Structures are given as structure tokens and as C-alpha cells.
């Protein structure tokens, strides 16, 4: 019987290591517009998000939107939208990626209160679906289709 790793490699998937945190989240390193950051991998988040305080850090252009964000105990949060971003996770790359921008202070406060480090954003289901992602929870890795 072939291993999942070998099978997915034969199907042109790339393996990305995940870090399992004290808060039971998986964290991943990704690049937005060529700049590395730390992100929570969140299959329940519909969109990939970056904190508003990181707009300049990731060289993002943004515009206003009427959409309100909700999650992690917060509701009706103001958002901005940023289009035409490049996202890279390992050797996987996507151009023209839309990213939602909102205040991640409540997320980072919760992480810090549980002895975890703050994050720059969240990799959501939009990116995971585009990449045809497969998560191996036991081996703590993510597979993305090239």
C-alpha cells in the first residue's frame, strides 16, 4: 500500500509543513505580495484575511466594502477588500487573489492569552479550495496541487 505522501506527490501535490499551536490551530508561513507572514489555517473561514494593521507591510491596495465580517466571537466588523494580490504557500502560487482586510486584534489577543504568538492573517477556504488542499492532521502537513 502506497503512502498518502507518495500518492499525492505522484498527482503533482506539494507538501507544506504545518505547526500545531497551543491553541489547537495549525499555523503556516505564506507570502503575500512576496512578503512572508504567519497565518492560521482555517477551513471554516470563507475568505483569506489579513489584519488591517498589515496593509502596508504586505504592500496591499485596498478599497472600501459594505461587507461585514464575523468570526471568533466578533460580529459586524468593518472590512476592506484587496484584489490583485499574489499569494505563495511553499511552491504553490496564485495571482489576482482577493483578500479581506479586517481588525484581527481580537484574534491575536485570544492567541496571546493562551501563550501563542500573534498572526498576520488567516488562510481561508477560498485559497484552500483553489489549491485543492488536503490536510494530513496526523502528519501535520498540508498538500496543495501545483
Amino acid at each position: 500500500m502506497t503512502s498518502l505522501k507518495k500518492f499525492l506527490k505522484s498527482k503533482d501535490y506539494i507538501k507544506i509543513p504545518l505547526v500545531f499551536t497551543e491553541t489547537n490551530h495549525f499555523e503556516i508561513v505564506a507570502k503575500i505580495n512576496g512578503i512572508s507572514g504567519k497565518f492560521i489555517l482555517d477551513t471554516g473561514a470563507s475568505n483569506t484575511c489579513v489584519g488591517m494593521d498589515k496593509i502596508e507591510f504586505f504592500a496591499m491596495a485596498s478599497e472600501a466594502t459594505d461587507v461585514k465580517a464575523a468570526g471568533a466571537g466578533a460580529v459586524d466588523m468593518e472590512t476592506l477588500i484587496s484584489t490583485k494580490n499574489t499569494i505563495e504557500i511553499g511552491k504553490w502560487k496564485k495571482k489576482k487573489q482577493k483578500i479581506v482586510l479586517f481588525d484581527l486584534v481580537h484574534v491575536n489577543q485570544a492567541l496571546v492569552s493562551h501563550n501563542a504568538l500573534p498572526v498576520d492573517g488567516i488562510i481561508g477556504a477560498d485559497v484552500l479550495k483553489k489549491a485543492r488542499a488536503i490536510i494530513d492532521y496526523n502528519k501535520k502537513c498540508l498538500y496543495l496541487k501545483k
Side-chain angles (χ1 to χ4, degrees), residues 1-144:
M1 179 179 221
T2 187
S3 71
L4 178 65
K5 179 181 173 180
K6 287 180 183 175
F7 173 76
L8 291 174
K9 187 174 181 180
S10 75
K11 300 293 182 186
D12 274 341
Y13 276 81
I14 53 172
K15 181 181 173 184
I16 311 294
L18 297 171
V19 175
F20 193 66
T21 70
E22 291 289 323
T23 58
N24 293 328
H25 291 99
F26 278 124
E27 287 183 354
I28 190 166
V29 173
K31 289 184 180 179
I32 305 288
N33 301 327
I35 300 153
S36 289
K38 187 165 63 164
F39 296 82
I40 290 174
L41 187 71
D42 188 349
T43 60
S46 54
N47 293 293
T48 294
C49 308
V50 167
M52 284 204 192
D53 61 330
K54 299 292 181 176
I55 294 171
E56 289 180 23
F57 179 77
F58 288 115
M60 302 172 84
S62 62
E63 55 190 65
T65 178
D66 292 333
V67 176
K68 302 283 186 192
V75 294
D76 282 339
M77 294 179 290
E78 297 294 326
T79 64
L80 297 173
I81 195 83
S82 180
T83 56
K84 300 179 185 171
N85 297 289
T86 300
I87 185 166
E88 297 172 73
I89 303 172
K91 293 181 180 176
W92 183 86
K93 186 175 185 176
K94 176 73 176 156
K95 295 181 179 178
K96 298 182 183 175
Q97 177 64 44
K98 177 185 83 170
I99 297 175
V100 174
L101 304 159
F102 73 99
D103 190 349
L104 287 177
V105 168
H106 69 286
V107 171
N108 283 323
Q109 284 175 341
L111 292 172
V112 170
S113 73
H114 288 90
N115 300 317
L117 295 172
V119 295
D120 299 308
I122 298 164
I123 301 296
D126 57 341
V127 166
L128 297 173
K129 186 175 177 184
K130 284 178 189 172
R132 295 168 45 188
I134 296 170
I135 301 170
D136 185 337
Y137 288 91
N138 191 42
K139 301 282 186 187
K140 298 181 182 108
C141 59
L142 173 70
Y143 293 93
L144 303 176

